[in-house]
Amino acid sequence: MFRRVLIANRGAIACRIIPTLRALGVSPIAVYADADRFSRHVAMADQAVRLGPSPASESYLRQDAILEAARATGAEAIHPGYGFLSENAGFADACDRAGIVFLGPTGDQMRALGLKHTARDIARQQGAPLLVGTDLLTDEAHALDEAERCGYPVMLKSTAGGGGIGMRICRTPQELEDGFAAVMRMGAANFGHGGVYLERYVEKARHIEVQIFGDGRGGVLSLGERDCSAQRRNQKVIEETPAPGLSDAVRRRMFATATQIAAAINYRSAGTVEFLYDADREDFFFLEVNTRLQVEHGVTEAVTGIDLVEWMVRLGAGDLPPLETLRVEPNGAAIQVRIYAEDPAHDFRPSTGMLTDVAFPADVRCDTWVEAGTEISPFYDPMLAKIIVKADDRAEAVTRLGTALAEVRCAGLETNLDYLRQVVATSAFVEGGFSTSVLKGVSYRPRAIEVVDPGVQTTVQDHPGRVGFWHVGVPPSGPMDSLAFRLANRLVGNSDDAAALECTMIGPTLRFHAATVIALTGADMNARLDGRPLARWQAMPVRAGAELQMG
């Protein structure tokens, strides 16, 4: 077994890998950029090495800096996690040249399966069912000709990368022309490869993937499937196993296809073979291979009882028993949701700032890197945590997931937490077996008030506020006009001590995302609701989307 392993990543995956290494008696080595110098994975590791400034291109994507950190700390192996360099064939090759074990597939295997168009060729040679599609396209004219052959709608896809980046649905020739250059640029900017190709787009499809593990000598195990159909803009939001409504016959065929593709190139380590599933016809088609550990690997671990990171480390150290002795049978059902620092009310734009209050349920698995006081920067993926529930069956897992999400707190910035709560409560999710378009039917409206303009000296107060602390240097607080404050609360049916806004100079402009009742008391601030004067000293209903302006 290794003595030291360097983790070439950050965030939740780095924090996930460290305990496994410790359990194996391996010393974990962390790397970090300036924005992460106080992150949890840095504090958890035995050693931590600075890579450089905050931008990923100057830190987590610097192969030379990571290899130098491994040499300086005596690390014998590098675990890439997911994202960043995890599917970079050149980095895997560089590790081999440096005499450092790369805990993942070989560079040649990444080149063969990591690029979607070459993966399609391998899948075709192995007899895997494929959607009507193309090889790499040379230009827009070529794309237009091939789209006519495939039949609209088509999916324009970058051959490199993953995470839903570099994919665009084109329903007309004009949409294909408009998107061609953009998808090429996106692939080149994010993954260093601008190649694109086309596949016929299936309107009502499900996204199902098979977790595989190979020994590098032709032996490959299938460790069950995951349904990843709950997607927003081709980015997975919720993943579960087993896939609802999948027959045993289809499941066996899918497993056999996945292992055959991987075995054809003597695949090594963990990976995922992804399929598009047509539930109406009970048929599936090969999509791509992810030559790395997936964000959603935890649901597979939950139902199999194995630790995929441990398998990756043991395989790299030559300490993994023969695969035929490691066969496992999944048991029960597991579901994962991803909590992101993003604002669903504003097209899911990323949020930054400090988390002031963080709490996760103690009775479910939570892969996270954040805690109260964590600063969320704009430099990296905004994922904060993954909540994974396990139960005897899917119905119980759905119930446990709803309970767990109700207990989560992530305050201080906008997150998708309320959005997730709404999604898992929909009838479509509860029933299961939905297509990849299911989230388009979720009309999210938060129970929130948006501050469009803060005005001057508007504060959140409660009654009586903070009193009795002057003698130790803490100033008092509370409403200046306590009578008007309490009367406003009584008008809308609140208790006297409920929090409210007190305006003292220039009032704010507020937008209401949910219908509610408000009351204005105190001095006249020329309040207008949707441009109309608003009466004071009475309860007033407010519709969702209304805007309140105070002068």
Side-chain angles (χ1 to χ4, degrees):
M1 183 51 66
F2 304 116
R3 290 175 301 161
R4 300 180 184 87
V5 169
L6 183 141
I7 304 164
N9 218 296
R10 64 174 298 279
I13 185 58
C15 294
R16 152 75 181 90
I17 293 170
I18 288 172
T20 292
L21 294 178
R22 283 235 170 83
L24 292 171
V26 179
S27 177
I29 311 299
V31 292
Y32 65 93
D34 288 345
D36 282 336
R37 61 190 181 279
F38 301 123
S39 283
R40 179 182 285 183
H41 77 281
V42 175
M44 289 173 65
D46 290 348
Q47 286 179 265
V49 179
R50 178 183 179 272
L51 294 176
S54 299
S57 61
E58 301 177 42
S59 52
Y60 295 108
L61 292 175
R62 281 191 56 197
Q63 299 183 29
D64 59 336
I66 292 172
L67 289 170
E68 178 55 36
R71 285 189 287 263
T73 57
E76 302 135 289
I78 291 177
H79 197 300
Y82 44 68
F84 293 133
L85 296 172
S86 60
E87 290 185 284
N88 188 299
F91 182 58
D93 293 341
C95 289
D96 288 342
R97 291 193 298 269
I100 298 170
V101 177
F102 180 82
L103 299 176
T106 67
D108 287 341
Q109 289 166 354
M110 288 185 190
R111 277 182 280 270
L113 292 178
L115 293 176
K116 299 181 183 70
H117 73 287
T118 56
R120 277 177 59 92
D121 288 341
I122 294 172
R124 184 184 295 111
Q125 293 165 15
Q126 299 306 310
L130 297 173
L131 284 168
V132 175
T134 72
D135 294 325
L136 286 186
L137 301 167
T138 54
D139 52 32
E140 286 184 20
H142 186 201
L144 290 167
D145 289 342
E146 289 293 286
E148 290 297 331
R149 179 181 65 83
C150 294
Y152 287 96
V154 293
M155 178 73 85
L156 183 62
K157 302 174 76 171
S158 169
T159 188
I165 299 173
M167 300 171 67
R168 181 171 296 195
I169 300 169
C170 304
R171 302 184 185 279
T172 66
Q174 186 61 54
E175 289 183 359
L176 181 56
E177 285 188 73
D178 293 343
F180 187 84
V183 173
M184 285 190 67
R185 286 195 302 270
M186 195 173 295
N190 286 278
F191 311 115
H193 197 302
V196 296
Y197 68 103
L198 289 174
E199 280 182 343
R200 180 182 292 166
Y201 178 67
V202 180
E203 292 282 1
K204 294 183 179 179
R206 291 170 60 186
H207 187 137
I208 297 177
E209 61 189 27
V210 176
Q211 176 69 58
I212 58 167
F213 196 92
D215 61 12
R217 300 185 300 275
V220 181
L221 280 184
S222 163
L223 298 173
E225 86 282 4
R226 297 184 290 256
D227 192 325
C228 306
S229 300
Q231 301 180 9
R232 186 185 61 78
R233 298 174 185 159
N234 303 310
Q235 170 65 56
K236 300 166 188 173
V237 177
I238 306 174
E239 301 97 350
E240 62 179 294
T241 187
L246 198 66
S247 71
D248 289 340
V250 170
R251 186 174 281 112
R252 286 192 296 269
R253 285 172 46 217
M254 201 175 279
F255 291 175
T257 302
T259 54
Q260 187 173 346
I261 291 171
I265 62 165
N266 296 326
Y267 188 81
R268 183 184 78 185
S269 197
T272 307
V273 183
E274 305 200 353
F275 299 96
L276 201 66
Y277 178 61
D278 187 334
D280 293 335
R281 299 182 179 181
E282 293 194 4
D283 206 358
F284 62 88
F285 305 93
F286 171 80
L287 277 181
E288 63 186 43
V289 179
N290 285 290
T291 54
R292 56 174 167 84
L293 193 68
Q294 289 277 77
V295 177
E296 59 272 20
H297 73 278
V299 293
T300 295
E301 294 180 332
V303 298
T304 60
I306 66 173
D307 185 329
L308 282 167
V309 172
E310 178 182 339
W311 280 28
M312 296 172 78
V313 176
R314 287 191 180 279
L315 178 67
D319 190 39
L320 187 72
L323 288 187
E324 58 268 21
T325 69
L326 295 174
R327 295 190 180 278
V328 295
E329 290 294 332
N331 177 45
I335 308 176
Q336 169 183 288
V337 297
R338 307 183 187 193
I339 299 177
Y340 284 96
E342 58 187 17
D343 185 358
H346 291 88
D347 202 27
F348 293 87
R349 68 187 181 196
S351 304
T352 59
M354 180 180 291
L355 287 165
T356 56
D357 183 29
V358 176
F360 297 107
D363 58 345
V364 300
R365 174 172 166 177
C366 301
D367 288 4
T368 186
W369 64 283
V370 301
E371 55 195 346
T374 298
E375 187 78 26
I376 308 303
S377 78
F379 296 104
Y380 317 115
D381 182 273
M383 190 172 72
L384 304 179
K386 301 178 294 177
I387 307 298
I388 304 163
V389 299
K390 161 77 163 52
D392 291 337
D393 56 40
R394 186 181 188 275
E396 184 183 351
V398 170
T399 300
R400 289 201 71 195
L401 180 60
T403 301
L405 285 174
E407 296 178 14
V408 176
R409 298 198 309 273
C410 289
L413 44 77
E414 293 294 336
T415 73
N416 68 335
L417 186 54
D418 283 337
Y419 173 77
L420 292 173
R421 290 168 179 156
Q422 182 174 331
V423 169
V424 302
T426 61
S427 59
F429 181 80
V430 172
E431 292 168 7
F434 42 78
S435 73
T436 53
S437 62
V438 66
L439 295 186
K440 294 179 181 178
V442 177
S443 180
Y444 176 71
R445 190 175 291 277
R447 292 177 55 83
I449 300 172
E450 177 186 352
V451 180
V452 179
D453 187 322
V456 178
Q457 289 188 343
T458 294
T459 59
V460 180
Q461 299 290 347
D462 59 11
H463 182 271
R466 183 175 56 202
V467 296
F469 291 103
W470 255 143
H471 62 288
V472 293
V474 179
S477 68
M480 294 184 180
D481 185 345
S482 62
L483 178 60
F485 185 95
R486 286 175 288 158
L487 285 171
N489 266 324
R490 291 194 184 187
L491 283 168
V492 298
N494 290 341
S495 61
D496 287 358
D497 60 354
L501 296 179
E502 186 172 69
C503 310
T504 55
M505 283 283 291
I506 299 173
T509 298
L510 308 174
R511 183 175 297 128
F512 296 83
H513 286 282
T516 188
V517 177
I518 65 173
L520 298 181
T521 59
D524 185 1
M525 297 193 75
N526 190 30
R528 306 181 77 82
L529 185 65
D530 289 337
R532 298 179 180 178
L534 185 65
R536 293 180 296 143
W537 305 103
Q538 56 184 286
M540 300 294 294
V542 177
R543 67 172 182 84
E547 191 167 285
L548 173 65
Q549 294 177 310
M550 288 184 281

